Amino acid sequence: MGAIVSFLSQIDSINSIVNKLTREHEIVKECLRIHRKIVEKEKLISELEGKVKGLEEALEKLNVSEDYKKQVFTHLDEHYKEYMRRFKYDADNETYIDSEKYIPYYSGSSVYDHESGGLLQCMQLSYLAAILSSEKEGYASGHPGVLMLDSLSKYLGTLKSDELPKEEVVQIEVSEKDLIIDPEVYEEIYKMLIELSTDHQIIIVDNSKDTAETLRILEEMDTLSLKTIKNKVDNMLESKII
């Protein structure tokens, strides 16, 4: 009986050691799990730091010096005012392209504040023409040099509702005050587009089939096939210009 009691004492001692080792084993396993997690997070941190460095380098390339930005907007302002003058609008100090909002202004009001359709069209065309001219001067190297204009004759005083076929579902109504009724103005618009087409691809979409001015400009401007335009854009994408 005494021997059995002594064995029980040893068994209890062994069980105690086993339990202790089991707890220590669990602690070691948890430590290993935490260690692997730390290694995983350190690897992730290293990868993220690499991405941050790459983004910082990309951001640095995107940052434009104030002097260069001033040069660009000086060029844009000059050409924007020049085109507005060609369209018979006064181009004073209140007519400019905002360097913070990147939108054109005329007489102190932005393109979003004016209501006259004719004025808005002239502002937009002057704005786009100024951007295209800056591309030629090297200020917009990423611009593809392609401009598409839709319903150009809408505000040119040439689109009349009685000229549209009766079966036309959508009738475009333009009030007289919104029309550009001066022949010299829309003649100047065509001249401007012809000038721009020398170095850029200009595409005009117009549903007014009887607009003689639109047909004439299409005849005078050099045209490229859609395939040529697509190839041009694809080449620029491949070279990462845009």
Side-chain angles (χ1 to χ4, degrees), residues 135-150:
E135 190 270 339
K136 181 180 178 181
E137 297 297 328
Y139 288 118
S141 58
H143 197 289
V146 178
L147 175 63
M148 177 177 287
L149 300 171
D150 188 15

Side-chain angles (χ1 to χ4, degrees), residues 31 39 112 143 148 174 192:
C31 290
V39 172
Y112 301 114
H143 197 289
M148 177 177 287
V174 182
M192 178 197 73

Side-chain angles (χ1 to χ4, degrees), residues 73 76-77 80 95-106 109-113 123 127 131:
F73 276 95
L76 290 175
D77 279 344
Y80 173 65
T95 299
Y96 60 94
I97 297 177
D98 191 280
S99 60
E100 298 297 331
K101 299 179 180 179
Y102 302 100
I103 57 176
Y105 278 71
Y106 175 73
S109 299
S110 76
V111 68
Y112 301 114
D113 297 328
M123 290 178 67
Y127 178 64
I131 294 175

Side-chain angles (χ1 to χ4, degrees), residues 9 16 30 40 48 61-62 71 77 83 87 91 96 104-105 113-115 122 128 138 151 163 176 212 228-229:
S9 176
S16 176
E30 182 65 17
E40 179 184 336
L48 292 176
K61 293 179 180 179
L62 291 175
Q71 291 178 15
D77 279 344
Y83 288 121
F87 300 152
Y96 60 94
Y105 278 71
D113 297 328
H114 289 286
E115 296 181 356
C122 288
L128 295 173
S151 301
E163 294 178 355
E176 289 296 328
T228 303
I229 298 172

